[in-house]
Amino acid sequence: MKVTFQVNGTTVSVETEPLTRLLDILRAQPGLTGTKEGCGEGECGACAVLLNGEVVNSCLLPAGSLEGASVTTIEGLRDTARYSTLEDSFGRHGGVQCGFCTPGFMIASAALLRENPSPADAAIRVALSGNLCRCTGYTGIIEAVKSAGRIPEKKQ
Amino acid sequence: MKGHRPPTLAGALHIRGEREVLPVAGATDLMVGDPAVHEEVLFLDHLRELREITGTDHGMEIGAAATLSQLSAAPAAPDALKAVISEFASPAIRNRATIAGNICNASPAADLLPFLYLSDAHVVLARNAEDREIPVSQFVTGPGTTLLQPHELVTRVIIPSSSWDFTFYRKVASRRSNSLSKLSLQICAKCTSGRVERIAVAFGGVAPTVVRVPEIEQFFVHAGRKELAAIAAEAAASYGPLIVPIDDQRSTARYRKHTALALFRHAAGNLLARHLETP
């Protein structure tokens, strides 16, 4: 089936099988390999993207659900003030080691901060509960999001 | 594979009546495994008609394709339901998974089913212009099987209002988030003047379908604080033969049965007794 949707503000039109994963569609686009495949079954969050502003796992999202949707990947987030804040705080708090899970964590963090600009620990833990990191032990990531939340977002 | 994405519910019902299609909404279960075995799929997640949630005088009506995030945020959602959703998978999955998907997938470990059984929820099934309504407890017939007919779609779920003053929910899983349930137990009760007026108990993950037995719930009617431990023990003995879990990759039959009954005795005996003490 033919599916037309927006990725990071650009219209994408693909002829695809109805249950092709958004993850595969994205990674086949030039320059959009920031979205990672970890488990491929909705457990790890490495493939997280924003679908119409909400965090979803792109490995579980079939092409047939994409018509008219607006998708933001880590590459689309990169030009925002939110990204700069998160990048800085993840770095300062040791929220990154190998980096494979980081795009997913940043997407989930951005979704949280949009709803709740100064989240407490508990809210951060809930928001990041669908993301796995095998390096950092999570403390650095939670501190990073908390610190990013305290900083008022600059105008883009 | 062919995909259909009709613009209206009427269009979806028409396709469902004419062709062998798999209805798909959140797809969070479908996409795990090998979804390519299906020849035709019917997408329903974009249909606004199927996503509305309304509070009524008698409870709430939920569009079949309402997501769990939507449901949790709905003003009419009871706290006992929100408690279940807060432990359902992860935010990313709750943003896609739908109420009818959890029902129709009919997993013995489905998180929403114990709540839907104990609140006497119904599903509304549509076939062209005709609707029929069935209690969720009858609709689900076994692991992965329901009474859904080839030409039908679930369009709504109706949850009658309730006035529970005691609620208990425990999902036993490997970790607190994003874990499939080994077993679960939900108990809701209404108490007046220090006695139990009504109780509803549902076990998930311990039998082919949710275990709810109104006859055993009757043991508790009019019970006071001091009688509860004995009644809970008697009720646990009656549930015993009905708790018939399996060994699988998540847990063992022995652990599931032991834990389900121990949780039940604790919640229906101790916690409910403590609740009756508080004025």
Side-chain angles (χ1 to χ4, degrees), chain B residues 151-243:
Chain B
H151 301 314
E152 286 179 323
L153 289 174
V154 176
T155 52
R156 276 174 298 154
V157 178
I158 298 172
I159 301 180
S161 57
S162 48
S163 49
W164 310 117
D165 49 73
F166 172 85
T167 58
F168 171 87
Y169 174 66
R170 182 67 60 82
K171 169 175 168 176
V172 180
S174 306
R175 47 191 291 263
R176 276 170 60 193
S177 300
N178 226 2
S179 226
L180 294 173
S181 165
K182 296 174 198 275
L183 66 106
S184 65
L185 171 63
Q186 192 155 28
I187 302 179
C188 293
K190 169 144 182 57
C191 306
T192 20
S193 321
R195 294 191 172 268
V196 177
E197 189 179 312
R198 206 157 72 81
I199 191 171
V201 178
F203 294 90
V206 295
T209 57
V210 168
V211 173
R212 183 180 176 206
V213 189
E215 293 76 17
I216 302 177
E217 294 168 6
Q218 287 297 316
F219 296 1
F220 286 87
V221 175
H222 304 310
R225 177 174 63 83
K226 289 182 178 155
E227 296 131 47
L228 276 180
I231 293 173
E234 190 194 343
S238 302
Y239 281 121
L242 306 170
I243 309 270

Side-chain angles (χ1 to χ4, degrees), chain A residues 11-31:
Chain A
T11 302
V12 173
S13 220
V14 286
E15 184 63 43
T16 176
E17 287 291 310
L19 297 184
T20 297
R21 307 178 302 173
L22 170 62
L23 172 65
D24 297 322
I25 297 174
L26 291 173
R27 290 185 55 87
Q29 306 287 316

Side-chain angles (χ1 to χ4, degrees), chain A residues 39 43 50 53 86 129 131:
Chain A
C39 66
E43 295 275 345
L50 300 178
L86 282 168
S129 62
N131 296 76

Side-chain angles (χ1 to χ4, degrees), chain A residues 1-153:
Chain A
M1 67 198 287
K2 190 180 176 207
V3 181
T4 304
F5 61 107
Q6 302 261 314
V7 179
N8 303 331
T10 305
T11 302
V12 173
S13 220
V14 286
E15 184 63 43
T16 176
E17 287 291 310
L19 297 184
T20 297
R21 307 178 302 173
L22 170 62
L23 172 65
D24 297 322
I25 297 174
L26 291 173
R27 290 185 55 87
Q29 306 287 316
L32 290 187
T33 52
T35 304
K36 304 300 183 194
E37 174 163 17
C39 66
E41 49 187 41
E43 295 275 345
C44 78
C47 68
V49 298
L50 300 178
L51 177 73
N52 303 323
E54 293 186 325
V55 62
V56 300
N57 294 315
S58 64
C59 75
L60 298 182
L61 200 70
S65 293
L66 289 171
E67 183 63 39
S70 163
V71 173
T72 305
T73 69
I74 189 68
E75 292 86 355
L77 200 65
R78 196 158 50 194
D79 299 329
T80 63
R82 177 82 75 210
Y83 181 93
S84 317
T85 311
L86 282 168
E87 181 186 37
D88 179 59
S89 61
F90 268 66
R92 275 189 294 112
H93 292 276
V96 179
Q97 282 186 36
C98 87
F100 191 84
C101 70
T102 312
F105 270 99
M106 291 185 72
I107 289 281
S109 303
L112 167 68
L113 293 173
R114 180 142 78 187
E115 293 290 310
N116 180 355
S118 307
D121 247 59
I124 297 172
R125 286 173 191 273
V126 168
L128 302 183
S129 62
N131 296 76
L132 298 180
C133 171
R134 301 288 78 173
C135 303
T136 64
Y138 301 103
T139 311
I141 295 175
I142 288 159
E143 287 304 315
V145 178
K146 213 188 306 179
S147 137
R150 290 200 200 99
I151 304 164
E153 198 174 352

